[in-house]
Amino acid sequence: MIRQYEFGDVLALGEQKEETPFLQDEDLMEHENITWTYMDGNKVVAIIGVVKMWSGVGQCFAMTRKHYHKGVGYTRGTIRKMDDAMKAMDLSRMQTYVRADRPDFRRWAELLGMDCEGLMRKSSPDGGDMYLYARVD
């Protein structure tokens, strides 16, 4: 089930998050955004969203519970939500950063219709390399 994000959902993912989030609850409350929470029963398993950076450009993000299986339904639901966000926020570009050492995340970004625009060396908080992916409509 996918529902609207609620304050505190990041904490509900617990310490088992797949990625350390770049955004905190407070950041989401301060910036124009559209964010969803993916549920498995009563358990929060993922948080996906788009934060408007400036006119026409949004930054998307995903935080998942460690080892959460991202199946076809999860991917299709995310594509629909990305389409909705691009329309609702009047975006012509949606982008995200993907760790270079996570080929599974790169593959998922491509399944979501994003193109790799290049490698950004030593750009992650821990000094690792990241790829910039974007979808331009």
Side-chain angles (χ1 to χ4, degrees):
M1 174 183 80
I2 302 173
R3 67 165 170 75
Q4 196 64 35
Y5 175 83
E6 296 174 3
F7 188 82
D9 283 347
V10 170
L11 296 175
L13 277 175
E15 294 301 315
Q16 294 299 310
K17 287 187 288 296
E18 189 67 50
E19 291 287 315
T20 302
F22 294 106
L23 301 168
Q24 302 297 322
D25 273 333
E26 295 78 19
D27 297 321
L28 292 176
M29 299 304 145
E30 291 176 12
H31 302 288
E32 181 181 351
N33 74 87
I34 299 176
T35 307
W36 308 274
T37 300
Y38 288 61
M39 305 291 293
D40 184 0
N42 291 329
K43 183 188 289 187
V44 173
V45 293
I47 298 168
I48 300 204
V50 180
V51 175
K52 191 168 190 175
M53 296 174 63
W54 49 79
S55 180
V57 179
Q59 174 75 32
C60 58
F61 65 93
M63 293 176 275
T64 62
R65 190 172 286 274
K66 206 169 203 171
H67 307 300
Y68 177 67
H69 182 264
K70 302 169 199 64
V72 173
Y74 178 84
T75 300
R76 286 184 183 151
T78 301
I79 291 170
R80 280 192 303 274
K81 294 299 185 184
M82 287 173 62
D83 291 343
D84 293 347
M86 287 192 83
K87 289 176 189 161
M89 299 172 89
D90 195 26
L91 302 177
S92 56
R93 177 185 176 86
M94 185 178 295
Q95 64 186 35
T96 193
Y97 305 103
V98 180
R99 292 187 60 88
D101 60 355
R102 293 304 305 262
D104 53 330
F105 287 174
R106 292 186 65 203
R107 202 167 32 255
W108 192 57
E110 291 164 3
L111 286 172
L112 295 175
M114 302 183 106
D115 295 315
C116 182
E117 294 188 335
L119 178 65
M120 302 181 311
R121 297 190 186 281
K122 297 186 180 186
S123 59
S124 73
D126 65 359
D129 297 343
M130 298 185 86
Y131 285 97
L132 174 62
Y133 277 82
R135 173 179 155 184
V136 180
D137 286 347

